[in-house]
Coordinates of all heavy atoms in Angstrom, one line a residue:
D23 N 117.0 164.7 172.5 CA 116.5 163.6 171.6 C 115.1 163.7 171.2 O 114.7 163.0 170.3 CB 116.7 162.2 172.4 CG 115.9 162.2 173.7 OD1 115.7 163.2 174.3 OD2 115.5 161.1 174.1
A24 N 114.3 164.6 171.8 CA 112.9 164.8 171.4 C 112.8 165.6 170.2 O 113.3 166.7 170.1 CB 112.2 165.4 172.6
R25 N 112.1 165.1 169.2 CA 111.8 165.9 168.0 C 110.3 166.2 168.0 O 109.5 165.3 167.9 CB 112.1 165.0 166.8 CG 112.0 165.6 165.5 CD 112.5 164.8 164.4 NE 112.0 165.2 163.1 CZ 111.8 164.4 162.1 NH1 112.1 163.1 162.2 NH2 111.3 164.8 161.0
L26 N 110.1 167.5 168.2 CA 108.7 167.9 168.4 C 108.1 168.3 167.0 O 108.7 169.0 166.3 CB 108.6 169.1 169.4 CG 109.0 168.7 170.8 CD1 108.9 169.9 171.7 CD2 108.1 167.6 171.4
L27 N 106.9 167.9 166.8 CA 106.2 168.2 165.6 C 104.9 169.0 165.9 O 104.2 168.7 166.8 CB 105.8 166.9 164.8 CG 106.9 166.0 164.5 CD1 106.3 164.7 163.9 CD2 107.9 166.6 163.6
T28 N 104.7 170.0 165.1 CA 103.5 170.8 165.3 C 102.3 170.1 164.6 O 102.3 169.9 163.4 CB 103.7 172.3 164.8 OG1 104.8 172.9 165.5 CG2 102.4 173.1 164.9
L29 N 101.3 169.8 165.4 CA 100.1 169.2 164.9 C 98.9 170.1 164.9 O 97.8 169.7 164.4 CB 99.8 167.9 165.7 CG 100.8 166.8 165.8 CD1 100.3 165.6 166.6 CD2 101.2 166.4 164.4
G30 N 99.0 171.3 165.4 CA 97.9 172.2 165.4 C 98.2 173.4 166.2 O 99.4 173.6 166.6
R31 N 97.2 174.3 166.4 CA 97.4 175.5 167.2 C 96.1 176.0 167.8 O 95.1 175.6 167.3 CB 98.1 176.6 166.3 CG 97.2 177.1 165.2 CD 98.0 178.1 164.3 NE 97.2 178.5 163.2 CZ 96.6 179.7 163.1 NH1 96.9 180.6 164.0 NH2 95.9 180.0 162.1
V32 N 96.3 176.7 168.8 CA 95.1 177.3 169.5 C 94.8 178.6 168.8 O 95.6 179.5 168.6 CB 95.5 177.6 171.0 CG1 94.3 178.2 171.7 CG2 96.0 176.3 171.7
V33 N 93.5 178.7 168.3 CA 93.1 179.8 167.5 C 92.1 180.7 168.2 O 91.8 181.8 167.7 CB 92.5 179.4 166.1 CG1 93.6 178.7 165.3 CG2 91.3 178.5 166.3
G34 N 91.6 180.3 169.4 CA 90.6 181.2 170.1 C 90.1 180.6 171.3 O 90.5 179.5 171.7
V35 N 89.2 181.3 172.0 CA 88.6 180.8 173.2 C 87.1 180.5 172.8 O 86.5 181.1 172.0 CB 88.6 182.0 174.2 CG1 87.9 181.6 175.5 CG2 90.1 182.3 174.6
Y36 N 86.6 179.5 173.5 CA 85.2 179.0 173.3 C 84.5 178.9 174.6 O 84.9 178.1 175.5 CB 85.3 177.7 172.6 CG 83.9 177.1 172.2 CD1 83.2 177.6 171.1 CD2 83.4 176.1 173.0 CE1 82.0 177.0 170.8 CE2 82.1 175.6 172.7 CZ 81.4 176.1 171.6 OH 80.2 175.6 171.3
G37 N 83.4 179.6 174.7 CA 82.5 179.5 175.9 C 83.0 180.1 177.1 O 84.1 180.8 177.1
V38 N 82.3 179.9 178.2 CA 82.6 180.6 179.5 C 83.4 179.7 180.5 O 83.7 180.1 181.6 CB 81.3 181.1 180.2 CG1 80.6 182.2 179.3 CG2 80.3 179.9 180.5
R39 N 83.7 178.5 180.1 CA 84.4 177.5 181.0 C 85.8 177.3 180.6 O 86.4 176.4 181.1 CB 83.6 176.2 181.0 CG 82.3 176.3 181.6 CD 81.6 175.0 181.9 NE 80.4 175.2 182.5 CZ 79.4 174.4 182.5 NH1 79.5 173.3 181.8 NH2 78.3 174.6 183.1
G40 N 86.4 178.2 179.8 CA 87.8 178.1 179.5 C 88.2 177.2 178.4 O 89.4 176.8 178.4
A41 N 87.3 176.8 177.5 CA 87.7 175.9 176.4 C 88.4 176.7 175.4 O 88.3 177.9 175.3 CB 86.4 175.2 175.8
S42 N 89.2 176.0 174.6 CA 90.0 176.6 173.5 C 89.5 176.1 172.1 O 89.2 174.9 172.0 CB 91.4 176.3 173.7 OG 91.9 176.9 174.8
R43 N 89.5 177.0 171.1 CA 89.2 176.5 169.8 C 90.6 176.1 169.2 O 91.6 176.8 169.3 CB 88.6 177.7 168.9 CG 87.2 177.9 169.3 CD 86.4 178.9 168.4 NE 87.2 180.1 168.1 CZ 87.6 180.5 166.9 NH1 87.4 179.7 165.9 NH2 88.3 181.6 166.8
I44 N 90.6 175.0 168.5 CA 91.8 174.3 168.0 C 91.8 174.2 166.5 O 90.8 173.7 166.0 CB 92.0 172.9 168.7 CG1 91.9 173.0 170.2 CG2 93.2 172.3 168.2 CD1 93.0 173.7 170.9
E45 N 92.9 174.5 165.9 CA 93.0 174.2 164.5 C 94.0 173.0 164.4 O 95.1 173.1 164.9 CB 93.7 175.4 163.7 CG 94.0 175.1 162.3 CD 94.7 176.2 161.5 OE1 95.2 177.2 162.2 OE2 94.7 176.2 160.3
S46 N 93.5 172.0 163.8 CA 94.3 170.7 163.7 C 94.9 170.6 162.3 O 94.2 170.8 161.3 CB 93.4 169.5 164.0 OG 94.1 168.3 163.8
F47 N 96.1 170.2 162.3 CA 96.8 169.9 161.0 C 96.8 168.4 160.7 O 97.4 168.0 159.7 CB 98.2 170.4 161.0 CG 98.4 171.8 161.4 CD1 99.4 172.3 162.1 CD2 97.5 172.8 161.0 CE1 99.6 173.6 162.5 CE2 97.6 174.1 161.3 CZ 98.7 174.5 162.1
C48 N 96.1 167.6 161.5 CA 96.0 166.1 161.3 C 94.9 165.8 160.3 O 94.0 166.6 160.0 CB 95.7 165.5 162.6 SG 96.9 165.7 163.9
E49 N 95.0 164.6 159.8 CA 94.0 164.1 158.8 C 93.6 162.7 159.2 O 94.4 161.8 159.2 CB 94.6 164.1 157.4 CG 93.5 163.9 156.3 CD 92.4 165.0 156.3 OE1 92.7 166.2 156.4 OE2 91.3 164.6 156.2
P50 N 92.4 162.5 159.7 CA 91.3 163.5 159.9 C 91.7 164.4 161.1 O 92.5 164.0 162.0 CB 90.1 162.6 160.2 CG 90.6 161.3 160.6 CD 91.9 161.1 160.0
R51 N 91.0 165.5 161.2 CA 91.4 166.6 162.1 C 91.3 166.1 163.6 O 92.0 166.5 164.4 CB 90.5 167.8 161.9 CG 90.7 168.4 160.5 CD 90.3 169.8 160.4 NE 90.5 170.3 159.1 CZ 91.6 170.6 158.5 NH1 92.7 170.4 159.2 NH2 91.7 171.1 157.3
E52 N 90.3 165.2 163.9 CA 90.1 164.7 165.2 C 91.3 163.9 165.8 O 91.4 163.6 167.0 CB 88.8 163.9 165.4 CG 87.6 164.8 165.2 CD 87.2 165.1 163.8 OE1 87.8 164.6 162.8 OE2 86.2 165.8 163.6
N53 N 92.1 163.4 164.9 CA 93.3 162.6 165.3 C 94.2 163.3 166.3 O 94.9 162.7 167.1 CB 94.1 162.1 164.1 CG 93.5 160.9 163.5 OD1 92.5 160.4 163.9 ND2 94.1 160.5 162.4
L54 N 94.1 164.7 166.3 CA 94.9 165.4 167.3 C 94.5 165.0 168.7 O 95.4 165.0 169.6 CB 94.7 166.9 167.1 CG 95.3 167.9 168.0 CD1 96.8 167.8 167.9 CD2 94.8 169.3 167.9
F55 N 93.3 164.7 168.9 CA 92.8 164.4 170.3 C 93.3 163.0 170.7 O 93.0 162.6 171.9 CB 91.3 164.5 170.4 CG 90.8 165.9 170.1 CD1 89.7 166.2 169.4 CD2 91.5 167.0 170.6 CE1 89.3 167.4 169.1 CE2 91.1 168.3 170.4 CZ 90.0 168.5 169.6
K56 N 93.9 162.2 169.9 CA 94.5 160.9 170.3 C 95.7 161.2 171.2 O 96.0 160.3 172.0 CB 94.9 160.1 169.1 CG 93.7 159.6 168.3 CD 94.1 158.7 167.2 CE 92.9 158.2 166.5 NZ 93.3 157.3 165.3
F57 N 96.2 162.3 171.2 CA 97.4 162.7 172.0 C 96.9 163.5 173.2 O 96.6 164.7 173.0 CB 98.4 163.5 171.2 CG 98.9 162.8 170.0 CD1 98.3 163.0 168.8 CD2 99.9 161.8 170.1 CE1 98.8 162.4 167.6 CE2 100.3 161.1 169.0 CZ 99.8 161.4 167.7
K58 N 96.8 162.9 174.3 CA 96.3 163.7 175.5 C 97.3 164.6 176.1 O 97.1 165.7 176.6 CB 95.7 162.7 176.6 CG 94.5 162.0 176.1 CD 93.4 162.9 175.8 CE 92.1 162.1 175.4 NZ 91.2 162.9 174.8
Q59 N 98.6 164.2 176.0 CA 99.7 165.0 176.5 C 100.4 165.6 175.3 O 100.8 165.0 174.4 CB 100.7 164.1 177.2 CG 100.2 163.5 178.5 CD 100.3 164.6 179.7 OE1 101.3 165.3 179.8 NE2 99.3 164.7 180.4
L60 N 100.4 166.9 175.3 CA 101.0 167.7 174.2 C 101.9 168.8 174.8 O 101.8 169.1 176.0 CB 99.9 168.4 173.4 CG 99.0 167.4 172.6 CD1 97.7 168.1 172.3 CD2 99.7 167.0 171.3
W61 N 102.6 169.4 174.0 CA 103.4 170.6 174.3 C 102.8 171.8 173.7 O 102.3 171.8 172.6 CB 104.8 170.5 173.8 CG 105.6 169.4 174.5 CD1 105.8 168.1 174.0 CD2 106.4 169.5 175.7 NE1 106.6 167.4 174.8 CE2 107.0 168.2 175.9 CE3 106.6 170.5 176.6 CZ2 107.8 168.0 177.0 CZ3 107.4 170.2 177.7 CH2 108.0 169.0 177.9
L62 N 102.7 172.9 174.5 CA 102.3 174.2 173.9 C 103.5 175.0 173.7 O 104.3 175.1 174.6 CB 101.3 174.9 174.9 CG 99.9 174.5 174.9 CD1 99.1 175.1 176.0 CD2 99.2 174.7 173.5
L63 N 103.7 175.6 172.6 CA 104.8 176.4 172.3 C 104.4 177.8 171.9 O 103.6 178.0 171.0 CB 105.6 175.8 171.1 CG 106.8 176.7 170.5 CD1 107.9 176.8 171.6 CD2 107.3 176.1 169.3
R64 N 104.9 178.8 172.6 CA 104.6 180.2 172.3 C 105.7 181.0 172.8 O 106.1 181.0 174.0 CB 103.2 180.6 173.0 CG 102.8 181.9 172.5 CD 101.7 182.5 173.2 NE 102.1 182.8 174.6 CZ 101.4 182.6 175.7 NH1 100.2 182.2 175.6 NH2 101.9 182.8 176.8
G65 N 106.2 181.9 171.9 CA 107.1 182.9 172.3 C 108.4 182.3 173.0 O 108.9 182.9 173.9
G66 N 108.9 181.2 172.5 CA 110.2 180.7 173.1 C 110.0 179.9 174.3 O 111.0 179.4 174.9
E67 N 108.8 179.7 174.8 CA 108.6 178.8 175.9 C 107.7 177.6 175.5 O 106.9 177.7 174.7 CB 108.1 179.5 177.2 CG 106.6 179.8 177.1 CD 106.1 180.4 178.4 OE1 106.4 179.9 179.5 OE2 105.4 181.4 178.3
R68 N 108.0 176.5 176.2 CA 107.3 175.2 175.9 C 106.8 174.7 177.2 O 107.5 174.6 178.2 CB 108.3 174.3 175.2 CG 107.8 172.9 175.0 CD 108.8 172.2 174.2 NE 109.9 171.8 175.1 CZ 111.0 171.0 174.7 NH1 111.1 170.7 173.4 NH2 111.9 170.7 175.5
V69 N 105.5 174.4 177.2 CA 104.8 173.9 178.4 C 104.1 172.6 178.1 O 103.4 172.5 177.1 CB 103.8 174.9 178.9 CG1 103.1 174.4 180.2 CG2 104.5 176.2 179.3
R70 N 104.2 171.6 178.9 CA 103.5 170.3 178.8 C 102.1 170.5 179.3 O 102.0 170.9 180.4 CB 104.3 169.2 179.5 CG 103.7 167.8 179.2 CD 104.9 166.9 178.9 NE 104.5 165.6 178.6 CZ 104.6 165.1 177.4 NH1 105.1 165.8 176.4 NH2 104.3 163.8 177.1
V71 N 101.1 170.1 178.5 CA 99.7 170.2 179.0 C 98.9 169.0 178.6 O 99.4 168.1 177.8 CB 99.0 171.4 178.3 CG1 99.7 172.7 178.7 CG2 99.0 171.3 176.8
T72 N 97.8 168.9 179.2 CA 96.8 167.8 178.9 C 95.6 168.4 178.3 O 95.1 169.4 178.8 CB 96.5 167.0 180.2 OG1 97.7 166.5 180.8 CG2 95.5 165.9 179.9
L73 N 95.1 167.8 177.3 CA 93.8 168.2 176.7 C 92.7 167.3 177.2 O 92.9 166.1 177.3 CB 93.8 168.1 175.2 CG 94.8 169.0 174.4 CD1 94.6 168.7 172.9 CD2 94.6 170.4 174.7
S74 N 91.6 167.9 177.6 CA 90.5 167.1 178.1 C 89.2 167.6 177.5 O 89.2 168.7 176.9 CB 90.4 167.1 179.6 OG 90.2 168.4 180.1
R75 N 88.1 166.8 177.7 CA 86.8 167.2 177.2 C 86.9 167.8 175.7 O 86.4 168.9 175.5 CB 86.1 168.2 178.1 CG 85.8 167.6 179.4 CD 85.1 168.5 180.3 NE 86.1 169.5 180.8 CZ 85.9 170.5 181.5 NH1 84.7 170.7 182.0 NH2 86.8 171.4 181.9
S76 N 87.5 167.1 174.9 CA 87.7 167.5 173.5 C 86.6 167.1 172.6 O 85.9 166.1 172.9 CB 89.1 167.1 173.0 OG 89.2 165.7 173.1
G77 N 86.4 167.8 171.6 CA 85.3 167.4 170.6 C 85.1 168.5 169.5 O 86.0 169.3 169.3
R78 N 84.0 168.4 168.9 CA 83.6 169.3 167.8 C 82.5 170.2 168.3 O 81.7 169.8 169.1 CB 83.1 168.5 166.7 CG 84.0 168.4 165.6 CD 83.3 167.7 164.3 NE 84.3 167.5 163.4 CZ 84.9 168.4 162.6 NH1 84.6 169.6 162.8 NH2 85.8 168.1 161.8
S79 N 82.5 171.4 167.7 CA 81.4 172.3 167.9 C 81.0 172.9 166.6 O 81.7 172.6 165.6 CB 81.8 173.4 168.9 OG 82.6 174.4 168.2
A80 N 80.1 173.8 166.5 CA 79.7 174.4 165.3 C 80.9 175.3 164.8 O 80.9 175.6 163.6 CB 78.5 175.3 165.5
H81 N 81.8 175.6 165.7 CA 82.9 176.5 165.3 C 84.2 175.7 165.0 O 85.3 176.2 165.0 CB 83.2 177.5 166.4 CG 82.0 178.3 166.7 ND1 81.6 179.4 165.8 CD2 81.1 178.3 167.7 CE1 80.6 180.0 166.3 NE2 80.2 179.3 167.4

Side-chain angles (χ1 to χ4, degrees):
D23 59 331
R25 184 170 161 211
L26 295 176
L27 304 174
T28 299
L29 297 184
R31 66 186 175 109
V32 180
V33 294
V35 175
Y36 180 80
V38 296
R39 295 191 177 154
S42 296
R43 289 189 311 116
I44 306 292
E45 177 184 13
S46 172
F47 305 143
C48 298
E49 193 58 46
R51 299 201 181 287
E52 290 82 3
N53 279 355
L54 176 68
F55 297 140
K56 290 182 178 180
F57 303 96
K58 293 299 180 195
Q59 292 280 315
L60 294 158
W61 292 96
L62 281 173
L63 172 68
R64 189 191 65 218
E67 76 175 314
R68 174 174 74 178
V69 177
R70 189 135 181 111
V71 297
T72 302
L73 295 183
S74 62
R75 294 180 290 179
S76 55
R78 254 189 189 288
S79 78
H81 301 284

